Amino acid sequence: MHWRMHWWIRVRMGWAEPVKKRCSFVGCSSIGCSCIVALLVLFATPMASLVHATPTIVVTSVSTATDSVVSAPEAPEAPEAPKAPEAPEAPIAPADTTETPFSSLDYRSEVTPEPDNVVPMQTIWNVPALPGFQTIHTDSTLRWSSYINPTNLFALEPGFVPYRTGMIQRKSGWFWYTYSPEDLRLQLNGLSLADPVTGQVALYRIPLQHVASIQTSMIGSRQDLRVQTKDHYIVKPRTYLNYDESDFSYRHLEFAWQQPLAEATHLELSYWDRRDGTGYSRGDSKGHQIGAQLRHKLSAERVLRVGLWQNRAEREESFGYVTQGPGSFVYNRFTAQPNQSSARSEELFRDLFLQVQEGDSVRGDVKRSVGFAVKGARRDLFALGEAGLDTTSTNVRTWEVFARMDLGARGEFARGTGGAAGTGGTGGAGGSVEMRGYYHQNLDQTRLAGNGWLGGELRAHASYNRNLFSVVGMMQVDARDDGRTGGEISGALRFQIAPWWSAGLFSAMARRSPDLQSLYWMGNEYEGVKNAPQEYHYLIGTEHSVDAGRYWRAGFRAEWRTIKDETVPDLLTQRFVTRSQTERQSLATWIRHDDQRRWEGQLYAGYLRTEVDPLSGFWDGTEEVVRLGAELFVKGAVFQQAAYVKAGFRGSFVPYQTALAMYNPWLNRWQMSGTGNAGLSSFQLGQPYRQTQMPAYARLDAEISARIRWFMMLFRWENAADGLGQAGMMETFGYPMPSRRLILSLRILFLN
């Protein structure tokens, strides 16, 4: 702390004495003790100008305040530097873009050179967005959020309809426009996080506290989600403490430790203990996330990365709660009866990887990368089945090779769109090629028939950008050694109709192979179908983005999707069956405001309609859902700019819903539409329904957060509308959400 005070005094004021000896106050280096003077000046100066200005550095053993700087080892004491003129105070920066010690967005910070006594800079590489991708979150925006599960974070986006069970360490269901969990393709630093059995993704595996950026593309038949973690190259160790606590066994504690082993080598270790509950019987879970990352700079163009991510969850499984219908559930956590009184499950994901990246040492962008990973996915379910106690176990080890090569220029599309309408990025042509090969080794054949599956996929992205239009295309081919092959071709065309109006068209068609569970599952409750046909997906849509003023932006998106020959589980026959056709239509609109200084907020509305072909035999209905949302926040500096505060609310309202998404604990998968009688199976097995309207519900979260230098405190009053005009809240039938509770979150950084 004290060397930063002296550094700041010399840079900002130009009158501090050179470092000659240490005083008796915690080893402070100074002539006499100027610590009190430094404290007075520190709190009297606007925080924004202190943290975010980029002054000339003229000391020898001090690193900058950002995580993106690598400084040389401590050098001998230097003579007094020439005095620097006092810089004017900078205006207060906006809350979602301000660079602070909690952010590493500025991958290429600029430092004014000075001869002989300047701290040398090392470039931290950035993985650029692929053609057609947009950045929806960065560490700069995530630091103001206390959400643990990314599903809760994405639920704030237009067109998103969440289906949660109230438990954080469990897969969640959702619709994002017409995309569902079956359509998500998630990568963490280039590593695929899909469950090898079901193909679906457990979003709680994303280490949100370590995320640098989240990018997505929604112009193909699948939604691509790319997560990049932060890069820390520092001189001295750092320790992060993240703590969250609330009612119903909700407690999360994470320690992260970062240590430079050498000038070119950096080690980062983290342990995240996770516990949460719904407040209802058989609704608790516990687990952990372990992270270890080692980065070593091999040369000016190459970096070696070695890492491990492990996620473990132990859950009580209620199989839903006893009720006589969607509107008759009594939201009493003391009297609600679970359908299973002793069921439990254990889930373990372990990902060990090695990756080499090669980039441009001038621009700081990764151009090529290749990696190898060994991944484990295991799940055990202990529950009462038809034949008594049934243990359902799967254990698959995956050997994976992945690579990426970028070609030419790239352009990122605008925030707030799905990638079809936006600025189009820089001009010129560009592209990227990605490859993935894998072998799924089946270590437990009691439920999954087969020794293993060898496969691979090749994907190519291309773009051409001009001022008035841009074109993006993607093509993919994939194959598996069981004779299954697939492919996809998709594209988007963007027009700049006016300086304030851009419009886009996108389309895709794909041929997919059913997941391994649909084909090779053997269980007392369900059975796969080896001869299931290939699935076909067709997507077309349009999107518009309008600048409605200096601080306003509005948007609109419409999608149409047709799915043919989809293989899904049916509770009546306890087999996987083929639905001949499913159609989805989605409409969403939104308007956002951010004046970059005081206010930010948005309004959005979404509508989704699903129609299942009655020829499928077990469902002949139409499912609909309407979701409205709003958020409003005020932000600014307080206490003479010693702290930065952001306060406001987020709310959503679902006035009409007939879509009954279902979580199937036997299979550990979500079925998002055409569930037949499965949605009511917990109390009326064998009695199919046509249309069952779920009760309307509202959710309101009130939040206030404050940043004081290296410390952040966040309060969230979750589900504050509980009991106000509604008995409770249920997004997924049979799984009530936790009632009103106050969540406290702390984010603390310890230096030296």
Side-chain angles (χ1 to χ4, degrees):
M1 172 64 74
H2 305 295
W3 59 260
R4 281 186 170 80
M5 297 177 185
H6 302 305
W7 163 78
W8 181 82
I9 293 172
R10 293 226 295 272
V11 174
R12 295 280 296 155
M13 307 301 294
W15 49 260
E17 293 291 334
V19 176
K20 292 185 178 180
K21 62 180 180 180
R22 296 181 181 272
C23 73
S24 59
F25 185 68
V26 201
C28 179
S29 302
S30 176
I31 293 180
C33 184
S34 61
C35 297
I36 298 178
V37 177
L39 284 172
L40 294 175
V41 178
L42 176 67
F43 289 101
T45 304
M47 186 177 181
S49 62
L50 171 64
V51 178
H52 308 291
T54 51
T56 301
I57 298 180
V58 291
V59 290
T60 58
S61 60
V62 178
S63 64
T64 61
T66 59
D67 293 336
S68 56
V69 178
V70 177
S71 302
E74 294 190 5
E77 297 175 352
E80 182 179 3
K83 297 181 179 180
E86 182 176 357
E89 294 185 356
I92 299 175
D96 59 347
T97 57
T98 302
E99 181 68 13
T100 73
F102 284 88
S103 175
S104 59
L105 286 178
D106 188 4
Y107 294 95
R108 294 171 292 278
S109 301
E110 296 182 359
V111 177
T112 306
E114 290 287 342
D116 302 328
N117 59 357
V118 177
V119 178
M121 278 290 300
Q122 296 289 340
T123 299
I124 305 302
W125 287 351
N126 172 41
V127 179
L130 290 170
F133 278 71
Q134 54 154 339
T135 300
I136 59 174
H137 282 288
T138 66
D139 60 337
S140 182
T141 59
L142 291 174
R143 86 177 75 129
W144 296 99
S145 171
S146 59
Y147 292 108
I148 302 299
N149 191 329
T151 305
N152 298 334
L153 186 69
F154 298 148
L156 311 176
E157 298 289 334
F160 194 95
V161 181
Y163 291 91
R164 293 165 285 196
T165 62
M167 188 177 292
I168 292 178
Q169 298 183 88
R170 177 186 281 153
K171 292 178 181 177
S172 297
W174 70 86
F175 284 112
W176 202 338
Y177 305 120
T178 63
Y179 296 93
S180 65
E182 294 88 353
D183 305 314
L184 178 63
R185 183 164 43 209
L186 173 63
Q187 292 185 8
L188 176 64
N189 295 332
L191 185 69
S192 174
L193 295 187
D195 187 328
V197 179
T198 65
Q200 298 182 359
V201 176
L203 291 178
Y204 70 84
R205 295 172 61 186
I206 299 177
L208 277 182
Q209 302 297 342
H210 302 264
V211 168
S213 67
I214 300 178
Q215 301 168 352
T216 187
S217 174
M218 289 185 281
I219 59 177
S221 71
R222 292 185 183 270
Q223 177 192 3
D224 269 303
L225 199 65
R226 307 294 175 91
V227 179
Q228 296 294 329
T229 56
K230 303 175 187 177
D231 283 337
H232 295 277
Y233 285 86
I234 55 179
V235 174
K236 295 186 178 181
R238 290 188 171 191
T239 303
Y240 291 85
L241 169 65
N242 302 313
Y243 181 71
D244 304 81
E245 185 174 6
S246 185
D247 295 333
F248 316 137
S249 305
Y250 185 98
R251 186 173 70 253
H252 297 260
L253 178 63
E254 180 184 18
F255 284 99
W257 174 70
Q258 302 162 9
Q259 172 70 52
L261 304 180
E263 185 176 357
T265 307
H266 180 269
L267 176 65
E268 179 178 344
L269 303 175
S270 64
Y271 180 84
W272 183 3
D273 183 74
R274 303 191 284 199
R275 301 170 186 267
D276 75 284
T278 63
Y280 291 83
S281 175
R282 310 301 301 170
D284 289 347
S285 71
K286 62 180 180 179
H288 66 252
Q289 182 182 86
I290 298 176
Q293 298 184 81
L294 177 69
R295 290 179 288 273
H296 177 70
K297 193 165 187 179
L298 300 173
S299 65
E301 292 82 20
R302 293 181 180 87
V303 170
L304 171 67
R305 299 171 180 269
V306 181
L308 168 70
W309 291 104
Q310 175 175 296
N311 290 269
R312 182 182 181 88
E314 300 177 12
R315 297 183 289 260
E316 296 176 343
E317 298 288 354
S318 66
F319 280 64
Y321 292 84
V322 177
T323 178
Q324 297 303 314
S328 62
F329 183 78
V330 179
Y331 292 88
N332 188 322
R333 53 193 179 91
F334 300 104
T335 61
Q337 298 181 8
N339 286 293
Q340 288 268 0
S341 59
S342 60
R344 61 185 179 88
S345 66
E346 299 178 2
E347 196 169 32
L348 176 65
F349 295 97
R350 184 180 291 119
D351 306 309
L352 177 64
F353 66 91
L354 181 148
Q355 186 180 35
V356 177
Q357 292 180 334
E358 182 176 295
D360 187 337
S361 59
V362 177
R363 288 177 50 89
D365 288 344
V366 173
K367 304 290 291 184
R368 289 167 291 275
S369 65
V370 61
F372 172 75
V374 180
K375 305 186 296 183
R378 177 169 182 167
R379 180 178 185 264
D380 298 292
L381 172 67
F382 308 94
L384 291 174
E386 293 182 349
L389 181 64
D390 187 11
T391 301
T392 302
S393 300
T394 57
N395 190 4
V396 177
R397 179 182 298 158
T398 300
W399 308 79
E400 180 176 323
V401 178
F402 54 98
R404 166 177 165 174
M405 180 173 63
D406 288 356
L407 307 170
R410 292 162 301 276
E412 181 178 335
F413 287 162
R415 167 72 176 95
T417 71
T423 60
T426 58
S432 179
V433 178
E434 295 179 296
M435 180 275 292
R436 176 175 174 260
Y438 61 87
Y439 177 69
H440 295 316
Q441 182 182 3
N442 189 11
L443 302 179
D444 189 341
Q445 301 182 20
T446 58
R447 288 293 178 264
L448 203 60
N451 296 320
W453 299 269
L454 179 67
E457 60 186 39
L458 181 65
R459 188 180 308 116
H461 302 261
S463 65
Y464 182 77
N465 302 315
R466 284 302 180 193
N467 292 331
L468 298 180
F469 74 95
S470 63
V471 181
V472 174
M474 192 277 288
M475 183 173 63
Q476 174 186 316
V477 292
D478 57 80
R480 207 164 58 203
D481 65 352
D482 59 357
R484 301 281 179 171
T485 60
E488 177 178 347
I489 182 170
S490 61
L493 180 62
R494 192 270 312 178
F495 296 97
Q496 192 69 39
I497 300 177
W500 48 271
W501 179 16
S502 62
L505 300 172
F506 56 94
S507 179
M509 57 181 179
R511 182 176 186 262
R512 297 186 194 171
S513 301
D515 56 81
L516 298 180
Q517 189 179 66
S518 302
L519 299 172
Y520 305 109
W521 188 257
M522 302 181 303
N524 296 329
E525 276 67 34
Y526 289 91
E527 183 179 353
V529 181
K530 292 185 179 181
N531 60 350
Q534 297 290 91
E535 301 176 7
Y536 292 87
H537 292 247
Y538 305 93
L539 176 71
I540 187 171
T542 181
E543 186 170 309
H544 299 259
S545 179
V546 176
D547 292 330
R550 183 178 179 183
Y551 303 120
W552 296 84
R553 167 168 286 188
F556 169 81
R557 181 181 174 105
E559 283 185 14
W560 295 265
R561 177 187 293 263
T562 299
I563 308 173
K564 293 182 178 294
D565 298 333
E566 182 182 17
T567 303
V568 296
D570 175 26
L571 189 63
L572 283 177
T573 62
Q574 294 189 341
R575 290 175 57 89
F576 282 84
V577 298
T578 299
R579 279 205 304 249
S580 57
Q581 182 167 310
T582 302
E583 293 188 358
R584 296 177 189 156
Q585 299 93 37
S586 170
L587 299 174
T589 183
W590 60 90
I591 183 170
R592 292 191 175 98
H593 171 79
D594 190 351
D595 61 11
Q596 302 294 317
R597 185 176 182 87
R598 186 64 61 186
W599 296 94
E600 67 176 63
Q602 70 170 344
L603 295 171
Y604 58 87
Y607 170 77
L608 176 70
R609 177 186 176 93
T610 301
E611 297 180 4
V612 179
D613 193 333
L615 297 180
S616 57
F618 64 101
W619 167 261
D620 59 350
T622 298
E623 303 171 340
E624 296 176 297
V625 58
V626 177
R627 187 170 188 259
L628 312 175
E631 64 178 67
L632 180 64
F633 284 86
V634 60
K635 54 191 178 182
V638 296
F639 303 123
Q640 297 182 351
Q641 305 195 26
Y644 202 91
V645 176
K646 182 178 180 180
F649 72 90
R650 293 186 172 99
S652 61
F653 177 50
V654 178
Y656 181 77
Q657 178 182 210
T658 59
L660 294 180
M662 184 194 75
Y663 171 70
N664 191 320
W666 289 112
L667 302 175
N668 191 30
R669 69 184 291 156
W670 280 84
Q671 187 171 338
M672 298 306 301
S673 59
T675 55
N677 74 313
L680 304 179
S681 62
S682 60
F683 63 93
Q684 285 183 343
L685 180 61
Q687 298 183 22
Y689 65 90
R690 294 296 183 251
Q691 285 188 344
T692 303
Q693 182 173 343
M694 292 284 288
Y697 68 86
R699 174 172 176 142
L700 178 66
D701 293 349
E703 303 180 15
I704 181 171
S705 55
R707 184 191 70 222
I708 308 172
R709 294 288 290 165
W710 313 97
F711 174 83
M712 291 192 69
M713 179 178 293
L714 305 95
F715 292 93
R716 184 171 83 249
W717 199 18
E718 187 178 80
N719 201 7
D722 183 60
L724 302 178
Q726 58 183 18
M729 174 182 170
M730 183 183 294
E731 295 178 347
T732 303
F733 180 77
Y735 290 90
M737 297 291 288
S739 57
R740 184 189 302 113
R741 60 183 175 183
L742 180 65
I743 299 178
L744 166 66
S745 302
L746 302 177
R747 308 286 183 259
I748 307 175
L749 170 61
F750 299 95
L751 300 175
N752 303 331

